[in-house]
Amino acid sequence: MQHIASERPPGYRYSRRNALPLVRRLSVVPNMRNALLLTFQWLVMVAACVIAIRADHIAVYLLAGIAIGTRIQCLAVMMHEACHGLLFSNRRINDLIGDLFVAYPLSLSIHLYRVAHMVHHRHTNTPQDYDYRVQRKDPDQHFPKSGRGMVRLFWRSLFGLNYYRVARAARVWSPLANFHNPGRFGYNFPLSLRIRYVVWAVVVYGLILWSPWRWQILGLFLIPQYLWANIFNRIRAMAEHNGVADTRELNGTRTVIPTMLDRLLIGPINVSYHLEHHLFPSVPGHNLRTLHGELMRDPIYAADAHVTRGYWGVIRELMGRR
């Protein structure tokens, strides 16, 4: 059972003192690296669109959709980085680029996501945590499940039968859902950011709708986004805090050691090292794997940290199997 009290018992928190020199060294934001990484995602997506449209064959459209879906998952992780100010060291540039090229294309807002996500970090696995409340209300996120129950979950996810639950939960981070009533979910959405979103939407969607390939472009981007959010991002999200003991900080969040396929489909940019991120959120994603290796030298950390090998290992844990 996960801990539901707002106050943690004595000894719950992991001491960070010995790791602070290492963390300071690993907390430098890699501006150029992230700029190149973001550029790469968009080059791959644009190239996949161009190739698919020129070939105009169903098999090529399917392959392009898979390629775009993996890059969309990278954008989702980069939005999380931007939320923590880890995309670019300059906060204004971080939020501007994060909105225009990362969050808005996913129909989300860095500002709105940050407000809710910071509460999640302060009150992980408690009723104040929005993610925790969503999990408790959503039967798809109740674990353990039987093998048949897990198959049913992924079958429903594949065909979008439970997508409305993902969309409903994401409303709090959506510019559209907060546009006319910016305090609807308790989070302020400033007028300047609403204007920024309108300008972006008019320019981007205007250019797409003006294009003779409008439906191909929209389909190639929106359909993979829909599938990745409902299947692969669902697996990533349910791995982070579901099915953990939460008797202490080190076993209240799960780190997943990913396979190469996991990195491609589910957990790029080291996002699967989620325990390390919760302990030291100032460390950019590209350094989380290094941080994990160093922390494992601590006997207390190595003994108590909830570490799982691969997302298939997570699924087995969530079926009550080890």
Side-chain angles (χ1 to χ4, degrees), residues 33-45:
R33 179 181 182 138
N34 285 344
L36 293 173
L37 187 63
L38 181 56
T39 301
F40 175 74
Q41 312 313 319
W42 281 104
L43 286 176
V44 170
M45 288 190 285

Side-chain angles (χ1 to χ4, degrees), residues 1 29 60 89 97 134 148 152 161 174 207 226 236 258 285 293:
M1 291 292 293
V29 176
V60 182
S89 56
I97 300 299
V134 167
R148 180 177 296 179
R152 188 182 303 115
L161 300 178
S174 167
L207 288 173
Y226 165 84
R236 179 203 57 77

Side-chain angles (χ1 to χ4, degrees), residues 310-322:
Y311 282 98
W312 174 243
V314 173
I315 292 170
R316 289 179 58 85
E317 288 182 7
L318 295 180
M319 293 192 296
R321 302 175 185 176
R322 294 284 179 172

Side-chain angles (χ1 to χ4, degrees), residues 1-9 12 124-127 132 245-247:
M1 291 292 293
Q2 291 182 331
H3 199 84
I4 61 174
S6 59
E7 295 183 1
R8 299 301 193 176
Y12 177 86
T124 308
N125 297 342
T126 71
Y132 177 78
D246 199 24
T247 56

Side-chain angles (χ1 to χ4, degrees), residues 5-265:
S6 59
E7 295 183 1
R8 299 301 193 176
Y12 177 86
R13 283 177 59 81
Y14 171 69
S15 175
R16 292 152 170 77
R17 182 178 304 172
N18 292 337
L20 290 180
L22 169 68
V23 169
R24 279 194 287 268
R25 178 167 58 84
L26 296 179
S27 294
V28 177
V29 176
N31 292 308
M32 183 57 67
R33 179 181 182 138
N34 285 344
L36 293 173
L37 187 63
L38 181 56
T39 301
F40 175 74
Q41 312 313 319
W42 281 104
L43 286 176
V44 170
M45 288 190 285
V46 170
C49 278
V50 171
I51 292 170
I53 291 170
R54 287 179 66 88
D56 197 25
H57 189 281
I58 185 63
V60 182
Y61 278 118
L62 288 173
L63 290 174
I66 292 171
I68 291 170
T70 64
R71 298 312 92 199
I72 285 172
Q73 188 70 346
C74 285
L75 290 186
V77 174
M78 296 185 83
M79 184 187 74
H80 175 256
E81 292 281 286
C83 159
H84 284 278
L86 301 176
L87 192 59
F88 296 103
S89 56
N90 182 290
R91 184 61 171 263
R92 289 187 177 181
I93 293 175
N94 177 88
D95 288 5
L96 178 63
I97 300 299
D99 269 337
L100 299 183
F101 295 98
V102 181
Y104 289 170
L106 302 178
S107 300
L108 301 172
S109 157
I110 295 294
H111 173 80
L112 292 170
Y113 181 70
R114 178 182 288 135
V115 174
H117 190 66
M118 292 302 103
V119 177
H120 165 69
H121 271 267
R122 289 193 297 270
H123 302 287
T124 308
N125 297 342
T126 71
Q128 294 99 313
D129 176 1
Y130 177 72
D131 293 357
Y132 177 78
R133 297 198 304 271
V134 167
Q135 290 168 6
R136 288 180 64 85
K137 292 178 182 178
D138 182 359
D140 283 342
Q141 299 190 60
H142 293 174
F143 300 98
K145 291 188 188 298
S146 65
R148 180 177 296 179
M150 195 66 77
V151 170
R152 188 182 303 115
L153 168 61
F154 291 130
W155 182 262
R156 284 163 47 80
S157 301
L158 178 63
F159 290 97
L161 300 178
N162 53 2
Y163 181 74
Y164 71 95
R165 290 176 175 152
V166 173
R168 183 174 59 192
R171 289 178 305 166
V172 300
W173 313 316
S174 167
L176 283 175
N178 292 271
F179 192 83
H180 295 294
N181 187 359
R184 178 183 179 188
F185 300 106
Y187 307 139
N188 180 41
F189 191 32
L191 178 61
S192 60
L193 297 184
R194 282 180 278 161
I195 293 173
R196 175 194 291 177
Y197 179 73
V198 169
V199 172
W200 178 90
V202 168
V203 172
V204 172
Y205 289 119
L207 288 173
I208 291 173
L209 293 175
W210 173 77
S211 166
W213 306 287
R214 62 183 71 87
W215 301 118
Q216 293 95 323
I217 295 170
L218 289 172
L220 281 166
F221 191 77
L222 295 179
I223 293 174
Q225 186 174 153
Y226 165 84
L227 288 174
W228 251 259
N230 207 37
I231 301 175
F232 298 111
N233 201 52
R234 178 185 291 276
I235 295 172
R236 179 203 57 77
M238 74 188 197
E240 292 176 350
H241 301 285
N242 280 299
V244 295
D246 199 24
T247 56
R248 57 184 64 86
E249 191 173 20
L250 292 180
N251 63 23
T253 300
R254 179 188 281 105
T255 271
V256 180
I257 309 300
T259 65
M260 288 186 65
L261 189 61
D262 290 336
R263 291 177 182 273
L264 178 65
L265 298 177

